[in-house]
Amino acid sequence: EVQLVESGGGLVQPGGSLRLSCAASGFTFSNSAMSWVRQAPGKGLEWVSAIDSGGGRTFNADFVKGRFTISRDNAKNTLYLQLLSLKTEDTAMYYCAKGWGPGGVRGQGTQVTVSS
């Protein structure tokens, strides 16, 4: 059974940073592309970033604009998302997902709240 457990969210001031983690199990992590997606209050699911199975190729949504970095450690079966220069509009539940987009299996999410 695929399991994805996100952590690292929290309350941060505008301009702050966070590092999200996603611990994966139940499948061969090193063979799977992975993504981060988010859902803001009252809005639909929004794709954020994706990374290929080996970690050599990454893709980001336009709104990321160099502020977020997706990475992975296949030895630890863990996916990361470094968030920098956070804005209030980044407030959302962040999910990791198996595969390239939001349609794959997701974890329970970790809440990121950006507020002064």
Side-chain angles (χ1 to χ4, degrees):
E1 178 187 2
V2 173
Q3 287 197 328
L4 301 168
V5 179
E6 300 92 338
S7 62
L11 174 63
V12 63
Q13 293 186 341
S17 62
L18 286 171
R19 190 193 195 200
L20 309 183
S21 298
C22 170
S25 62
F27 65 103
T28 305
F29 181 73
S30 58
N31 287 350
S32 181
M34 297 292 295
S35 302
W36 285 97
V37 298
R38 70 184 187 181
Q39 187 165 26
K43 296 189 177 180
L45 209 56
E46 181 177 43
W47 175 78
V48 178
S49 296
I51 187 168
D52 71 353
S53 60
R57 291 186 301 156
T58 61
F59 304 89
N60 297 301
D62 288 344
F63 65 81
V64 169
K65 294 182 180 178
R67 299 183 299 123
F68 301 171
T69 303
I70 188 172
S71 62
R72 65 192 297 160
D73 185 336
N74 285 345
K76 295 182 178 179
N77 286 357
T78 303
L79 178 73
Y80 303 101
L81 186 67
Q82 179 71 53
L83 309 173
L84 301 175
S85 302
L86 282 162
K87 306 174 181 180
T88 55
E89 53 263 43
D90 294 318
T91 294
M93 185 72 79
Y94 284 72
Y95 302 90
C96 66
K98 185 176 181 293
W100 287 107
V105 175
R106 298 194 300 272
Q108 84 291 344
T110 186
Q111 177 68 39
V112 172
T113 302
V114 185
S115 175
S116 55

